[in-house]
Amino acid sequence: MRKALVVGGAGFIGSHLCGALLAEGAKVICVDDFSLGTRENISDSRKNENFRLYEADASKEDVLEQIFDKEAPDYVFHLAANSDIQASASNPEIEYKNTYTTTFRVLSCMRRFGVSKMFFASTSAVYGDQRDVLLDENTPNLSPVSYYGAAKLGSEALINAFSYMNDIQALVFRFPNVIGPRLTHGVIYDFIRKLKKNPQRLEILGDGKQTKPYIYVSDLAEAILRFKETGRQGVSLYNVGVEGDTSVTRIADIVCEEMGLSSVQYDYTGGEGGWKGDVPRFRYCLDKIHGAGWKAVYTSDEAVRRTVREIAAGGDIHV
Amino acid sequence: MRKALVVGGAGFIGSHLCGALLAEGAKVICVDDFSLGTRENISDSRKNENFRLYEADASKEDVLEQIFDKEAPDYVFHLAANSDIQASASNPEIEYKNTYTTTFRVLSCMRRFGVSKMFFASTSAVYGDQRDVLLDENTPNLSPVSYYGAAKLGSEALINAFSYMNDIQALVFRFPNVIGPRLTHGVIYDFIRKLKKNPQRLEILGDGKQTKPYIYVSDLAEAILRFKETGRQGVSLYNVGVEGDTSVTRIADIVCEEMGLSSVQYDYTGGEGGWKGDVPRFRYCLDKIHGAGWKAVYTSDEAVRRTVREIAAGGDIHV
């Protein structure tokens, strides 16, 4: 790989990936519209002469075409998406534009400019609510319950067809919740924000029993780099995850511990999910990626604790 | 059902459905942009006072909203799509706009205007090339090889999410090849057109061994009407098909017989599929829909023969 195009490169995961790619010596072209990504996220990368930034909306056809034409990347990492499921629950148009259409535009440009290798950031949300199933890559009946999951599953379908029709080699990872520095939303972020405002009480959406695996972002970036050149034709799909999982109440406990707060009262809003479209728990079978020789460094609980430490210590939380 | 909105109602399948709905006494609002649909297809329906036509592009947000607002349908049949897989193979944008985006717009309008029942025309193409698998509704690893199949699978994903989030009751049929009067493209149409031009020789794409089930359009319309009010919450998904299947060479034989042509020389272009993205054969498990009490009247071969008779006799083929 000589030149990597990272679409959504100033976002939470994308910015970590840009950093890891630069550390490997790659030239990195970052495209971001700064709808969720920030300049702060890529402030270190921007000091590197191998890094170039385009502020551009990847859902717009001509914009992305100009970048492909000018830069001629040989690998595309597509991480542009709305990553805030809760936000799109009240406005599905966000997923249509930012998640599905960006994928269609990226693939159309790859087809047109003959770029034959890509990575795609998919999600556990494509499985829908199959809480009693140990989810592996061959699990049937993928029935997303969120607009986010639907747009990601639609994107996977596009990748299959474009890969077949244009001999594109695609690596697709289905992520669980990803956490770590530069997180901009989600339960950990919310708890810290709320507790900075009021250290006595904490509102918890749902019954607190929602339990999911949380992966640390550096583990994920390392996995992407490790698998990016698999040399296999077609689409290679992996569930990427960690050992263990963490309940929402356990997250609240860790946040309180790390912030040095005791006797915080938890106020549960009740119900199984935090909001409609939230999948209260899921379990991943990781045999495929473990069999390929990769394991996450941090467990789910460790990932949560590290994240809380970094975020609570920083000044980035807007109360 | 008092008032049905049929999106893509002037198309091949849509127009038969409009006719069947009117025969049941429903009010029918037909939306079509006449990209593939024709006024000829709905000439009978237009004489019925319960029929109203909007010439409109359902991929445009405001257009469809105005129609929902004005007509307040209580059931939506969504059949708008690019149905010509071969055409979109060279221009995937067609599927993005006509197949995926129309679905997103229809669902967004249903969400906004509180319409809670729908039918969606899906396809065997969502399965991809799984030629050695007896395909049932629980078959895993749906990996479309055509842009058409990808846009339909993406549409199914949208339906799952919109159904869950907005309590929409959706009936989804995965069709095999559908044939009958008003067919505008496909192998039967092509063979008749070619033989009218040159009754001595017939070019056949592929090796002629591509073998698929062909369902007669009236069988399909009847199935849609039979199942449209299942009363079940969420998404009800069925493979819809026929007994038997028909090879491309067998279709050529039937076309020649029905056109009274003997000793036509077949020129095969060779290769397994007719074009890239063509799935050369597939087999459907029909246990679910048969178990629900429905069976097609015509076998695949009978459907082909009836279609050839009607189309060869008509003056609609443009040589």
Side-chain angles (χ1 to χ4, degrees):
Chain A
M1 194 183 59
R2 291 161 290 117
K3 198 189 258 190
L5 180 69
V6 184
V7 189
F12 165 47
I13 302 169
S15 64
H16 285 279
L17 185 65
C18 287
L21 285 164
L22 289 169
E24 272 199 344
K27 286 194 193 301
V28 174
I29 312 302
C30 170
V31 177
D32 210 291
D33 68 350
F34 297 107
S35 60
L36 288 169
T38 66
R39 280 179 180 74
E40 176 65 23
N41 284 349
I42 49 170
S43 56
D44 284 345
S45 293
R46 292 181 76 179
K47 295 173 194 154
N48 191 312
E49 61 176 8
N50 284 328
F51 183 84
R52 190 172 297 163
L53 170 67
Y54 288 87
E55 178 168 355
D57 179 350
S59 72
K60 303 269 182 265
E61 188 176 8
D62 51 344
V63 169
L64 209 54
E65 278 181 1
Q66 284 166 23
I67 296 169
F68 270 78
D69 191 29
K70 186 169 172 204
E71 297 289 351
D74 58 319
Y75 200 112
V76 178
F77 296 86
H78 173 39
L79 296 100
N82 171 59
S83 57
D84 189 350
I85 305 190
Q86 215 174 338
S88 64
S90 56
N91 183 11
E93 187 84 23
I94 300 175
E95 300 297 347
Y96 169 74
K97 180 181 167 296
N98 294 359
T99 305
Y100 186 85
T101 299
T102 55
T103 306
F104 181 77
R105 295 297 173 214
V106 164
L107 290 164
S108 295
C109 283
M110 291 181 68
R111 173 178 181 270
R112 177 161 168 197
F113 293 95
V115 183
S116 63
K117 291 181 181 179
M118 77 173 300
F119 166 81
F120 177 65
S122 192
T123 165
S124 60
V126 301
Y127 292 104
D129 190 348
Q130 303 200 47
R131 61 185 84 173
D132 298 319
V133 178
L134 183 64
L135 301 167
D136 69 33
E137 295 81 353
N138 301 314
T139 296
N141 303 121
L142 305 192
S143 306
V145 294
S146 63
Y147 305 121
Y148 172 75
K152 285 287 190 182
L153 184 54
S155 294
E156 285 192 11
L158 285 175
I159 289 167
N160 276 297
F162 274 86
S163 169
Y164 178 84
M165 292 294 286
N166 308 283
D167 301 317
I168 290 171
Q169 190 177 309
L171 174 66
V172 176
F173 278 179
R174 290 179 179 159
F175 304 164
N177 288 39
V178 186
I179 56 177
R182 303 177 195 160
L183 198 61
T184 58
H185 58 268
V187 60
I188 295 173
Y189 186 90
D190 281 347
F191 284 175
I192 296 172
R193 188 179 52 82
K194 286 174 178 171
L195 287 168
K196 285 201 170 178
K197 213 168 177 177
N198 180 355
Q200 267 82 50
R201 299 177 81 102
L202 178 63
E203 186 200 55
I204 296 180
L205 300 182
D207 61 10
K209 293 178 184 161
Q210 309 98 293
T211 302
K212 303 173 193 179
Y214 291 83
I215 188 171
Y216 197 68
V217 67
S218 63
D219 270 341
L220 184 60
E222 192 269 325
I224 296 171
L225 292 198
R226 173 104 62 104
F227 284 81
K228 68 181 186 299
E229 308 261 12
T230 58
R232 289 184 49 206
Q233 287 310 301
V235 180
S236 300
L237 173 69
Y238 292 92
N239 283 351
V240 178
V242 296
E243 315 249 22
D245 44 30
T246 311
S247 73
V248 166
T249 297
R250 175 85 186 118
I251 291 173
D253 292 345
I254 294 172
V255 171
C256 290
E257 280 168 37
E258 293 297 328
M259 290 177 76
L261 302 171
S262 55
S263 62
V264 174
Q265 186 182 320
Y266 296 164
D267 299 324
Y268 296 98
T269 63
E272 279 192 320
W275 61 91
K276 190 154 187 172
D278 183 28
V279 177
R281 60 178 183 274
F282 69 91
R283 290 180 308 133
Y284 256 6
C285 171
L286 297 171
D287 289 354
K288 187 173 177 184
I289 197 155
H290 285 175
W294 180 87
K295 263 196 175 174
V297 172
Y298 302 108
T299 65
S300 182
D301 275 13
E302 287 167 357
V304 170
R305 191 173 295 276
R306 284 182 71 89
T307 301
V308 174
R309 258 176 220 174
E310 287 146 346
I311 293 190
D316 296 351
I317 297 276
H318 304 285
V319 297
Chain B
M1 194 182 59
R2 292 160 290 116
K3 197 188 258 190
L5 180 69
V6 184
V7 189
F12 165 49
I13 302 169
S15 64
H16 286 278
L17 186 64
C18 286
L21 285 164
L22 290 169
E24 274 199 343
K27 284 194 193 304
V28 174
I29 312 302
C30 170
V31 177
D32 210 291
D33 67 350
F34 296 106
S35 59
L36 288 168
T38 66
R39 280 178 180 74
E40 177 65 23
N41 283 350
I42 49 170
S43 56
D44 284 346
S45 292
R46 293 181 77 178
K47 294 172 193 153
N48 190 311
E49 61 175 8
N50 285 328
F51 183 84
R52 188 173 297 162
L53 170 68
Y54 289 87
E55 178 168 353
D57 179 351
S59 72
K60 304 269 182 262
E61 189 176 7
D62 52 345
V63 169
L64 209 54
E65 278 182 1
Q66 284 167 24
I67 297 169
F68 270 77
D69 191 29
K70 188 170 170 200
E71 297 290 351
D74 58 319
Y75 201 110
V76 178
F77 296 86
H78 173 39
L79 297 99
N82 171 59
S83 56
D84 189 349
I85 305 190
Q86 215 174 338
S88 64
S90 56
N91 183 11
E93 187 85 23
I94 301 175
E95 300 296 349
Y96 170 74
K97 179 181 168 295
N98 295 1
T99 304
Y100 186 85
T101 300
T102 55
T103 305
F104 181 77
R105 296 297 174 214
V106 163
L107 290 165
S108 294
C109 284
M110 291 181 68
R111 173 178 181 270
R112 178 163 165 194
F113 293 94
V115 182
S116 64
K117 290 181 181 180
M118 76 172 301
F119 166 81
F120 178 65
S122 192
T123 165
S124 60
V126 300
Y127 291 104
D129 190 348
Q130 301 201 47
R131 61 186 82 174
D132 298 318
V133 177
L134 183 64
L135 301 166
D136 69 34
E137 294 82 353
N138 301 314
T139 295
N141 303 120
L142 306 191
S143 306
V145 294
S146 64
Y147 305 120
Y148 172 75
K152 285 287 190 184
L153 184 54
S155 295
E156 285 193 11
L158 285 176
I159 289 167
N160 276 298
F162 274 85
S163 169
Y164 178 84
M165 293 294 287
N166 308 283
D167 299 318
I168 290 172
Q169 191 177 309
L171 174 66
V172 177
F173 278 179
R174 290 179 179 159
F175 303 165
N177 288 39
V178 186
I179 55 176
R182 304 177 195 159
L183 197 62
T184 58
H185 58 268
V187 59
I188 296 174
Y189 186 91
D190 281 347
F191 283 175
I192 296 171
R193 188 178 54 79
K194 285 174 180 170
L195 287 167
K196 285 201 170 175
K197 213 170 178 178
N198 179 355
Q200 268 81 49
R201 300 177 80 102
L202 177 63
E203 185 199 55
I204 297 180
L205 299 183
D207 61 10
K209 292 177 184 163
Q210 308 98 294
T211 301
K212 302 172 194 181
Y214 291 82
I215 190 171
Y216 196 68
V217 67
S218 63
D219 270 341
L220 184 60
E222 193 269 324
I224 296 171
L225 293 198
R226 172 104 62 105
F227 284 82
K228 68 181 185 298
E229 308 262 10
T230 58
R232 289 184 49 206
Q233 286 310 302
V235 179
S236 300
L237 173 70
Y238 293 93
N239 283 352
V240 177
V242 295
E243 315 248 22
D245 45 29
T246 311
S247 73
V248 166
T249 296
R250 176 85 187 118
I251 292 173
D253 292 344
I254 295 172
V255 171
C256 290
E257 280 168 38
E258 292 297 328
M259 291 177 75
L261 302 172
S262 57
S263 62
V264 174
Q265 185 181 320
Y266 295 165
D267 299 324
Y268 295 99
T269 62
E272 280 192 320
W275 61 91
K276 190 154 187 173
D278 183 27
V279 177
R281 60 177 183 274
F282 68 92
R283 290 178 309 132
Y284 256 6
C285 170
L286 297 172
D287 289 354
K288 187 174 178 185
I289 197 155
H290 285 174
W294 180 88
K295 263 199 174 172
V297 172
Y298 302 109
T299 65
S300 183
D301 275 13
E302 286 166 358
V304 169
R305 191 173 294 278
R306 285 181 71 89
T307 300
V308 174
R309 261 178 217 174
E310 286 147 345
I311 292 191
D316 295 351
I317 297 276
H318 303 285
V319 297

